[in-house]
Amino acid sequence: MVDQVSEICGSMEGLTLRRRKYLDKFLTREGPFTDPDSFMPGEPVIESLSRTKVLVIGAGGLGCEILKNLALSGFKDIHVIDMDTIDVSNLNRQFLFRHADVGKYKAEVAAKFVEKRVKGVKITPYCGKIQDKDEEYYMQFALIVCGLDSIEARRWINAMLVGMVDESNPDSMKPMVDGGTEGFKGQARVILPSMTSCFECQLDMHAPRAAVPLCTLATIPRQPQHCIEWAHIIAWEEERKEITLDTDDPEHITWLYQKALKRAHEFNIPGVTYSMTQGVVKNIIPAIASTNAIIAAAVCNEAFKIATNTNPFLGFPGTNNYMMYTGDDSIYTYTFEHEKKPDCPVCSTDAVARPLTVDGNSTLQDFLDSLAERPEAQLKKPAIRTEAKSLYYQFPPGLEEQTRPNLAKKLSELVENGEEVAITDPAFPLQFKYKLIFK
Amino acid sequence: MADLPPPVQGPTAKEKKYDRQLRLWGATGQMALENAHILLVNSGPGVVGLETLKNLVLPGVGQFTIQDSAVVSEADLGVSFFVEEEDLGRFRAEATCNRLKELNPDVQGHFVAEPVESFLTQPDSLKPYTLILVAAPIRPDILSKLSAHADASLVPLFYFHSVGFYSHFSIHLPPAYPIVETHPDIETTSDLRLLKPWKELADFAADKTKGLDAMAAEDHGHVPYIALLLHYIEEWKQSRDGKPPSSYKDKTTFRDEVIAKAARTNNAEGGEENFDEAVAAVLKSLNPPEPNGAVKDIFKTKECLALSADSASFWVIAHAIGQFYTKHGVLPVPGSVPDMKARSADYIQLQNVYKSKARKDVEEVVESVRSLERSLNRSTPIEEKDIEAFCKNAAHIKLVRGRPFHVVQAGETIKWGDRAKSIAQTLTFPGSLIPLYIAFLAWDEFAATHDKDALGGAPKVAGEGDSEVDTDNEKVTGIALKTLNDLVKEASASIEENELSTIKEQTGEFAQELVRAGGAELHNISSLTGGLISQEIIKVITEQYIPVDNTCIFDGVKSKTEVLRV
Ligand SMILES: [Zn+2]
């Protein structure tokens, strides 16, 4: 008996067993909420968890936490994508990086660190853009976990995953678990592409900030931010056109700061600081370790439940799929079901054109500009066509040149009242359909 | 004015590293964080405490100390990020302290590997710490000792659980914990005094709206909306016995019939932005500048009324502002003005109207404070910037009445006191997590009555061994249901029979899920809970934002939290 025990203890198997002491309570025991049809306690779930291949998108504030959490939740085969390098301002929360790592690729440093700390986990980094990869690449994963700070990247991966769904092949549906934070606030959500509300359906939860009108910047600034935006958008173009603005170059920020300060003095506006200049120009969002920890863990908790069925997960069709978190005034969460939009340009199978009231006297250019601020569209480089003709295309240059004169024309000259237009953007694999109604 | 702006003071290395958090709690918050020394009394798998410290070491807390008598085991390597293989067999306190220190060279870390029992018997052993964290399970006599220390020395105490998919923490704050910098939502904070304008503001409005109807288009479209509203309120009053629009119906009439119709539409845009802003501001800005009840209550507290030479400066300033309120019927003007369509010079002029009034009000409060200081014989004067900050945020100050949380003693009935009625009522709300809180109390009672080695040492938790799950389940569920009954009895609550049986069923399920864990922490739940606790610690240390009062529960099955005061 004693010999047997020492044999097991000495073996690799005994070692993993002892490491899994806590995790195994959940992998081997049923609970009051486990579903007997989907939860297979013991070897089956232990085996399938260790074989689950998961992709983490982003190795920043959320990504560092996510990699640590997944590694300590029993996932063994983790891939991570991030194109960024480490900056000194990351160190207050991205705990896998040290001062000596500044300038190196995040994905590489993070993967190496977690692999060293948590034995038996394989983490494969890719230092580049998600757009570099194709359907075949994404098809190899069972689960995608996103910790991104950019809406554009989320829209892209969402459209990719929805597009991959092939109804005859259940493995083509890749659950996507997504987290985001801003200061003391954040959200975690589960998307089952094509089955539940997708990121595009939920886009209006991230309404774009209204831009300050150009004429305010140019003629009647009132706030220190107006002076900074003026330096950023107008003064740089006028005086340093030949130099490409690099918001990470202290010399460039200093130049903008001094320009903004001088303008603020002229208009008697107080409050321009270096830190504010940096904040406005780089569109800095405050970020702290605690919120990242909360959201990343909420996201990984769902990923773990999806992979193991140790308890019900968010996102099962017809149940809650979205958790909103606020932590500045006490602690508050709101967990609800965000419903699929029947007219979603990405996940709806037969999207009908939404009616949109427009001024027939406004120009095509005005209309395209307004798309950037529409919460459900947020397109920066849209192309537009009707059933019959191309109205405006950004690419290729030949077509751009050919369609450019349309920009100055009135909408009523280009389309009939009630006619449908289709709008696309080279950054996203999706299409919006609007039925234009003149007011 | 000089042609060239002053030379740039670029950010320091520290400002660069902490940039993203300084944008939230500023240099004063950071300084408070750097002066803090946190003690973690660790036990069990011990992950929550370490994840909490991680989120405090990264933003640069001054010092931390880990008390933990456990030795690093294989099981730790499977759940904790702050131990490595080479730490096996070492004291966990030392290993985790060293791994955490690696995160930030600005932070000092210490460890205590002796058992908590003997650690606490040393005189002044808790003296160095400004905040204490205690992980469950812990023996009730130790927790009582720490709770008594929190009471006597006013040191904030946090007690927490992370058991499987569920977690909990309670905060024991001092009995009077006031906050000035609550960081209210900017949208809700502008106090423009449109129904009670002072002379300079009324003059400004009259000046900017002189000959309004005959103004050239360019001028008409640039009159600041505050001046427009004041102008039309004046007109309205003249035809209504001097009464401003006050009822909801009055305000919508004022908005739709007066303001909206006064906008010029015979231009290219078909309207005027400043009038649009005025329309949008009517409902939220035409309110009498009355402070909310919670703020007025602060002026009536015993701490505010009975000042002494060593009252905290908060109370002296609050007393002075209370006097200001009694005299003027309003709080000091905060002095900020939202951005609006206006010419630069007009906007700056308007800003100055508000700022000078705010400055004048501050001066009056400073004078009262100084006179109080003299009559109380206080030795050090309160800094003027503190008085100014208080005046600016007077409408949003907050007082938290800290209180001890439940310490479960073996065989003793839990007392809910003045909270019994309210808790029993909340119990019946659908989806309430109070049954989970009760299950945690039962889990504590189980630990209080079961020892690992029958020698009165470390507590044994429910469900550790596979063969004990069923009997432990019965025990914990039994305790939980008794606790539930005692609560209903103490509150003299009448809960419908079928409602009560649903609550009992939920309590049983929560207890069962806790026992399933057998004392195991899931890394995700512990990391999330460490995130919540560290956030609350930052609020408590910086005295900014509003902390949880006083208990928070997390349900990782449903992914939701609930805050309750026990
Ligand atoms: Zn969709």
Side-chain angles (χ1 to χ4, degrees):
Chain A
M1 183 67 192
V2 173
D3 278 347
Q4 226 176 330
V5 171
S6 67
E7 199 177 306
I8 291 179
C9 290
S11 73
M12 197 51 211
E13 212 173 307
L15 198 82
T16 14
L17 210 63
R18 276 175 282 133
R19 280 202 189 168
R20 272 205 331 250
K21 174 180 162 187
Y22 298 127
L23 208 51
D24 274 358
K25 299 274 191 259
F26 291 92
L27 298 177
T28 60
R29 295 175 176 180
E30 283 171 26
F33 310 108
T34 45
D35 172 9
D37 292 331
S38 57
F39 179 49
M40 304 295 158
E43 267 321 302
V45 66
I46 291 169
E47 172 68 19
S48 81
L49 173 61
S50 68
R51 273 192 292 109
T52 300
K53 202 171 188 178
V54 52
L55 173 66
V56 177
I57 304 184
L62 283 168
C64 284
E65 288 278 347
I66 290 171
L67 289 172
K68 169 199 67 146
N69 294 346
L70 293 177
L72 288 168
S73 298
F75 291 92
K76 302 271 180 230
D77 191 357
I78 305 170
H79 289 236
V80 56
I81 299 192
D82 198 310
M83 61 185 282
D84 282 344
T85 53
I86 299 160
D87 180 78
V88 67
S89 68
N90 300 147
L91 301 178
N92 81 326
R93 60 198 186 284
Q94 301 181 11
F95 62 95
L96 303 176
F97 312 140
R98 302 287 174 267
H99 219 281
D101 298 322
V102 169
K104 295 182 191 161
Y105 278 111
K106 288 184 176 179
E108 220 160 76
V109 177
K112 220 175 263 171
F113 194 110
V114 176
E115 265 188 353
K116 178 173 179 288
R117 189 58 67 85
V118 186
K119 289 278 151 26
V121 174
K122 195 174 120 225
I123 303 185
T124 315
Y126 172 71
C127 307
K129 299 204 299 208
I130 52 172
Q131 290 86 349
D132 298 346
K133 300 290 190 184
D134 58 7
E135 202 170 306
E136 197 190 331
Y137 172 82
Y138 291 107
M139 200 57 100
Q140 65 180 307
F141 302 104
L143 197 62
I144 318 286
V145 182
C146 298
L148 287 159
D149 54 8
S150 121
I151 304 264
E152 280 72 27
R154 283 191 180 110
R155 287 176 85 175
W156 189 90
I157 188 70
N158 175 67
M160 167 60 96
L161 295 179
V162 173
M164 273 162 54
V165 176
D166 165 5
E167 280 185 20
S168 62
N169 173 16
D171 282 346
S172 64
M173 198 280 294
K174 311 291 180 189
M176 164 169 153
V177 194
D178 171 79
T181 70
E182 177 169 352
F184 286 99
K185 299 185 166 80
Q187 79 281 330
R189 62 186 134 198
V190 177
I191 292 165
L192 303 185
S194 83
M195 295 171 75
T196 63
S197 158
C198 79
F199 184 79
E200 200 69 28
C201 295
Q202 301 170 7
L203 194 61
D204 52 6
M205 307 286 287
H206 308 262
R209 257 167 244 185
V212 183
L214 218 56
C215 76
T216 296
L217 302 184
T219 59
I220 46 167
R222 299 174 298 267
Q223 303 294 338
Q225 289 87 349
H226 296 165
C227 301
I228 296 168
E229 283 288 18
W230 171 84
H232 181 197
I233 297 171
I234 298 170
W236 187 276
E237 270 304 296
E238 280 174 6
E239 299 175 38
R240 300 186 108 183
K241 202 173 178 172
E242 68 290 352
I243 308 168
T244 312
L245 179 65
D246 173 6
T247 56
D248 289 322
D249 185 335
E251 195 276 326
H252 291 188
I253 296 285
T254 304
W255 189 90
L256 293 174
Y257 165 61
Q258 284 175 326
K259 274 281 156 194
L261 201 61
K262 190 159 175 239
R263 185 164 175 85
H265 280 305
E266 281 162 24
F267 287 90
N268 277 318
I269 299 170
V272 172
T273 62
Y274 186 93
S275 161
M276 184 190 278
T277 307
Q278 221 182 359
V280 170
V281 174
K282 295 178 73 173
N283 191 18
I284 290 177
I285 294 164
I288 45 177
S290 47
T291 318
N292 281 333
I294 294 161
I295 295 302
V299 160
C300 293
N301 182 40
E302 296 312 320
F304 176 70
K305 289 188 290 182
I306 291 171
T308 60
N309 287 303
T310 41
N311 257 321
F313 50 85
L314 293 188
F316 193 80
T319 66
N320 293 346
N321 54 16
Y322 200 115
M323 180 192 86
M324 273 191 337
Y325 172 81
T326 312
D328 54 352
D329 181 353
S330 188
I331 286 175
Y332 176 75
T333 52
Y334 177 56
T335 308
F336 65 101
E337 182 188 4
H338 193 292
E339 287 180 39
K340 224 168 129 89
K341 291 226 166 91
D343 58 355
C344 173
V346 170
C347 75
S348 171
T349 41
D350 47 1
V352 276
R354 329 178 177 209
L356 184 66
T357 308
V358 292
D359 182 356
N361 289 325
S362 62
T363 62
L364 182 63
Q365 178 75 62
D366 291 338
F367 176 68
L368 292 179
D369 288 348
S370 76
L371 289 172
E373 285 185 26
R374 289 196 66 79
E376 85 282 359
Q378 303 183 34
L379 299 176
K380 300 207 171 103
K381 290 188 165 177
I384 180 167
R385 61 174 172 75
T386 66
E387 192 97 332
K389 57 181 184 265
S390 302
L391 298 181
Y392 180 68
Y393 273 82
Q394 308 258 1
F395 305 100
L399 194 54
E400 199 279 333
E401 212 169 293
Q402 204 182 327
T403 51
R404 198 185 308 151
N406 284 342
L407 290 175
K409 287 187 188 155
K410 288 180 180 175
L411 284 177
S412 56
E413 295 171 39
L414 296 165
V415 294
E416 298 291 318
N417 190 4
E419 193 171 349
E420 268 186 39
V421 294
I423 295 156
T424 51
D425 189 302
F428 314 111
L430 57 86
Q431 182 181 64
F432 283 89
K433 283 190 214 161
Y434 287 113
K435 190 187 197 120
L436 298 186
I437 295 154
F438 296 149
K439 67 176 167 199
Chain B
M1 190 162 298
D3 237 354
L4 280 171
V8 183
Q9 292 262 300
T12 63
K14 197 162 122 185
E15 281 166 344
K16 274 190 211 158
K17 178 162 129 188
Y18 295 137
D19 179 81
R20 300 301 186 269
Q21 71 203 43
L22 291 172
R23 290 172 194 272
L24 290 172
W25 55 70
T28 51
Q30 187 63 26
M31 208 190 313
L33 194 61
E34 288 169 17
N35 287 329
H37 187 168
I38 313 241
L39 170 68
L40 165 65
V41 177
N42 213 359
S43 77
V47 182
V48 184
L50 302 176
E51 292 290 310
T52 304
L53 289 179
K54 173 199 76 199
N55 303 327
L56 295 170
V57 169
L58 287 165
V61 72
Q63 303 183 57
F64 70 90
T65 295
I66 299 175
Q67 182 283 323
D68 189 344
S69 53
V71 168
V72 177
S73 69
E74 292 276 359
D76 288 320
L77 298 183
V79 71
S80 174
F81 198 69
F82 297 103
V83 285
E84 265 186 30
E85 229 157 52
E86 60 182 68
D87 298 323
L88 280 168
R90 282 193 200 149
F91 278 118
R92 199 165 69 176
E94 181 181 5
T96 53
C97 170
N98 288 338
R99 300 279 172 228
L100 281 165
K101 275 198 316 199
E102 288 169 5
L103 299 180
N104 190 345
D106 300 346
V107 177
Q108 289 182 56
H110 319 271
F111 65 91
V112 175
E114 72 171 304
V116 64
E117 291 83 354
S118 61
F119 170 63
L120 289 181
T121 55
Q122 293 162 19
D124 292 337
S125 56
L126 296 176
K127 209 168 176 191
Y129 311 112
T130 53
L131 191 145
I132 301 174
L133 296 169
V134 190
I138 184 164
R139 277 178 30 205
D141 55 311
I142 309 266
L143 189 56
S144 295
K145 236 183 221 175
L146 293 166
S147 182
H149 173 76
D151 255 335
S153 57
L154 306 180
V155 166
L157 175 70
F158 285 63
Y159 173 53
F160 52 82
H161 291 88
S162 173
V163 182
F165 283 93
Y166 298 137
S167 71
H168 144 268
F169 67 90
S170 287
I171 314 176
H172 180 172
L173 284 178
Y177 182 82
I179 311 147
V180 175
E181 287 181 71
T182 49
H183 294 266
D185 196 346
I186 299 168
E187 293 282 295
T188 62
T189 52
S190 45
D191 170 10
L192 301 172
R193 301 289 158 93
L194 297 182
L195 295 183
K196 242 184 172 177
W198 58 96
K199 184 174 177 303
E200 289 79 2
L201 179 58
D203 288 351
F204 171 85
D207 181 42
K208 295 300 160 195
T209 55
K210 205 179 290 161
L212 183 64
D213 294 337
M215 269 183 199
E218 185 64 13
D219 297 329
H220 196 262
H222 281 87
V223 178
Y225 84 80
I226 289 184
L228 291 175
L229 285 177
L230 286 167
H231 170 78
Y232 288 110
I233 290 171
E234 239 357 89
E235 262 190 20
W236 171 283
K237 277 160 75 178
Q238 271 162 25
S239 61
R240 285 170 183 81
D241 297 334
K243 289 199 185 70
S246 55
S247 68
Y248 181 76
K249 195 169 162 281
D250 272 0
K251 283 189 217 169
T252 49
T253 310
F254 177 70
R255 182 188 63 192
D256 304 337
E257 300 302 319
V258 180
I259 307 286
K261 291 209 168 138
R264 293 185 189 168
T265 50
N266 56 346
N267 48 24
E269 293 80 28
E272 288 173 302
E273 221 181 306
N274 52 341
F275 277 82
D276 292 345
E277 289 172 346
V279 162
V282 168
L283 288 182
K284 61 177 183 189
S285 308
L286 261 59
N287 297 314
E290 182 69 16
N292 69 44
V295 170
K296 282 193 279 185
D297 284 346
I298 292 176
F299 299 145
K300 288 181 238 153
T301 56
K302 56 179 193 303
E303 290 95 335
C304 190
L305 295 173
L307 292 179
S308 69
D310 41 49
S311 289
S313 52
F314 175 90
W315 296 114
V316 181
I317 307 173
H319 188 102
I321 290 183
Q323 288 174 329
F324 185 99
Y325 175 65
T326 312
K327 186 171 163 202
H328 302 284
V330 287
L331 294 173
V333 165
S336 53
V337 186
D339 190 33
M340 64 191 73
K341 177 78 180 257
R343 292 210 171 96
S344 307
D346 289 346
Y347 180 78
I348 304 297
Q349 193 187 345
L350 178 63
Q351 256 187 336
N352 284 329
V353 169
Y354 276 90
K355 266 192 207 144
S356 10
K357 173 67 173 138
R359 230 171 276 138
K360 227 169 93 192
D361 288 355
V362 170
E363 272 165 33
E364 192 179 326
V365 175
V366 169
E367 220 162 278
S368 310
V369 168
R370 297 296 175 239
S371 128
L372 289 167
E373 284 173 335
R374 276 192 301 276
S375 60
L376 293 165
N377 260 325
R378 287 170 70 95
S379 46
T380 38
I382 296 168
E383 279 192 59
E384 203 160 319
K385 70 169 174 39
D386 292 340
I387 304 174
E388 203 182 314
F390 202 128
C391 290
K392 204 170 161 54
N393 208 41
H396 306 280
I397 54 169
K398 176 103 187 162
L399 175 64
V400 178
R401 289 291 189 195
R403 52 193 272 147
F405 46 76
H406 290 126
V407 177
V408 178
Q409 303 285 354
E412 272 180 29
T413 303
I414 303 279
K415 288 278 180 291
W416 302 81
D418 59 343
R419 299 297 304 147
K421 278 223 157 20
S422 152
I423 300 265
Q425 202 181 17
T426 322
L427 195 56
T428 58
F429 294 175
S432 163
L433 291 180
I434 290 174
L436 177 52
Y437 179 68
I438 290 174
F440 270 119
L441 293 174
W443 190 89
D444 272 4
E445 166 125 15
F446 182 99
T449 48
H450 293 73
D451 290 335
K452 265 213 159 74
D453 47 12
L455 296 170
K460 180 172 153 61
V461 301
E464 270 193 16
D466 284 343
S467 59
E468 298 152 348
V469 171
D470 290 341
T471 47
D472 287 0
N473 234 333
E474 239 168 79
K475 284 189 197 171
V476 176
T477 306
I479 306 169
L481 292 180
K482 182 186 173 295
T483 308
L484 176 67
N485 275 333
D486 291 342
L487 164 64
V488 175
K489 216 184 292 169
E490 190 184 345
S492 320
S494 56
I495 300 174
E496 264 184 62
E497 197 44 54
N498 58 346
E499 228 172 5
L500 190 62
S501 74
T502 312
I503 297 167
K504 281 182 179 164
E505 197 183 316
Q506 289 167 348
T507 309
E509 285 170 344
F510 284 133
Q512 205 183 328
E513 183 68 25
L514 287 180
V515 174
R516 177 190 182 198
E521 289 184 36
L522 285 171
H523 186 83
N524 292 326
I525 304 298
S526 294
S527 182
L528 186 145
T529 310
L532 296 175
I533 297 173
S534 58
Q535 167 191 287
E536 295 308 300
I537 292 176
I538 286 169
K539 292 187 206 168
V540 168
I541 292 175
T542 60
E543 300 181 7
Q544 295 184 39
Y545 302 92
I546 302 172
V548 159
D549 179 20
N550 56 5
T551 294
C552 178
I553 314 276
F554 175 69
D555 175 348
V557 177
K558 297 217 164 82
S559 199
K560 58 180 209 164
T561 58
E562 183 171 325
V563 168
L564 53 141
R565 182 167 159 86
V566 297

